[in-house]
Amino acid sequence: MLRVENLTVKYGGIAAVRDVSFEVEKGKIVALIGNNGAGKTSTLKTISGLVHPAGGHVFFEGNEITGMKPHEIAKMGLIHIPEGRHIFPNLTVKENLIMSSYSRTISKVEFLEEMNEVLKNFKVLKERENQLAGTLSGGEQQMLAIVRGMLQSPKLLMLDEPSMGLAPLVVEDVFNIIRSINKNGTTVLVVEQNAQVALSAADYGYVMEVGEIILQDDAKNLLSNSQVKKIYLGENDD
Ligand code: ATP
């Protein structure tokens, strides 16, 4: 569904992403893990058109999307939920969700019906739909960002660091939601520093370090890989 070929991203003269290639197969959850500054966010931003690559190509459902505008890419069904959630704190939950209707070609009535349908699975947000989004807890704000993404009709949902700043139990909730979204047919690419939780949810994983992909395998194999265990899971084989 998504193919990234030899992607290079530079800021000034410095390469943040170097010759990165990977794929996301339709129907799967793929995790891109790596430490702070590895180049994960730059990779996602380049896929969604927010950053222009210095080299390489991005294909979505077989069509080259390199260099296309972010709204054109979103319209194709490739939806990016950014790091830090980027919700509007001074708008209510409902108003935040209505913001995603602007990228849709359906009527307001149809959109509101769809919104109420999606909210059935997010009772906490439904109860808080008239509350200012900035007053929600971190976990609720992440849910809001996910629901807003879902209302843009994604074929592939890209989430940047959904666990950021959340307590472990809330992280579990968020990843359970990501799993159920995937079960309902949406392909997922998740970028995470939290290797344990991301690889536990994923089918396949890529490990990124200083701008390059250094490892790739089935997620369950990566969870038992000694290098991954040592660097990302804080475990030693011996
Ligand atoms: P994090 O999890 O902290 O977001 P990351 O793996 O997503 O890390 P990036 O945010 O892609 O990494 O950053 C990769 C490198 O590019 C870092 O060295 C960072 O300082 C640099 N970088 C990112 N954005 C810019 C920018 N707009 N201008 C200059 N350098 C940047």
Side-chain angles (χ1 to χ4, degrees), residues 29 34 49 59-60 116 128 173 188 197:
I29 299 181
F59 298 89
F60 181 58
N116 286 325
R128 289 164 172 68
D173 288 345
V188 173
V197 75

Side-chain angles (χ1 to χ4, degrees), residues 48-234:
S48 60
L50 294 166
V51 167
H52 286 281
H57 304 273
V58 183
F59 298 89
F60 181 58
E61 294 192 304
N63 301 308
E64 176 145 23
I65 60 168
T66 329
M68 279 174 59
K69 298 217 159 54
H71 71 273
E72 293 169 340
I73 293 173
K75 265 219 159 89
M76 293 170 84
L78 209 176
I79 301 299
H80 181 176
I81 300 180
E83 188 174 14
R85 290 127 209 175
H86 291 221
I87 57 156
F88 300 100
N90 296 323
L91 296 185
T92 65
V93 167
K94 194 171 174 183
E95 287 163 345
N96 264 275
L97 294 177
I98 288 172
M99 293 302 281
S100 43
S101 70
Y102 297 112
S103 63
R104 302 288 303 276
T105 45
I106 56 176
S107 72
K108 183 105 185 249
V109 174
E110 283 171 316
F111 178 82
L112 289 175
E113 269 173 21
E114 196 178 311
M115 183 180 93
N116 286 325
E117 197 54 42
V118 173
L119 280 178
K120 280 186 185 157
N121 296 320
F122 293 86
K123 291 209 169 56
V124 177
L125 289 183
K126 178 72 191 158
E127 285 163 10
R128 289 164 172 68
E129 66 180 3
N130 296 316
Q131 189 173 321
L132 290 183
T135 64
L136 296 174
S137 72
E140 290 160 359
Q141 290 189 16
Q142 184 60 56
M143 309 277 180
L144 176 57
I146 291 174
V147 174
R148 202 173 54 182
M150 291 308 294
L151 288 173
Q152 289 174 74
S153 207
K155 292 178 182 168
L156 170 58
L157 197 61
M158 302 197 295
L159 299 109
D160 193 349
E161 210 91 39
S163 78
M164 194 173 73
L166 304 181
L169 279 178
V170 184
V171 171
E172 284 300 326
D173 288 345
V174 167
F175 272 81
N176 284 335
I177 285 165
I178 294 170
R179 279 192 187 93
S180 77
I181 287 171
N182 173 253
K183 276 216 175 75
N184 288 327
T186 305
T187 307
V188 173
L189 171 61
V190 61
V191 152
E192 262 298 340
Q193 287 192 46
N194 188 333
Q196 177 74 52
V197 75
L199 291 175
S200 300
D203 299 291
Y204 200 82
Y206 293 88
V207 181
M208 202 165 177
E209 251 181 38
V210 245
E212 291 177 6
I213 290 189
I214 57 151
L215 273 176
Q216 66 178 76
D217 206 340
D218 285 342
K220 63 176 187 322
N221 294 340
L222 286 178
L223 273 172
S224 57
N225 176 291
S226 57
Q227 204 178 345
V228 172
K229 277 162 89 174
K230 198 168 159 199
I231 305 176
Y232 298 98
L233 307 177

Side-chain angles (χ1 to χ4, degrees), residues 11-12 14-17 34-43 45 83 160-161 191 193 208:
Y11 297 110
I14 301 167
V17 175
N35 284 331
N36 217 339
K40 307 178 302 296
T41 297
S42 300
T43 302
K45 282 184 172 172
E83 188 174 14
D160 193 349
E161 210 91 39
V191 152
Q193 287 192 46
M208 202 165 177

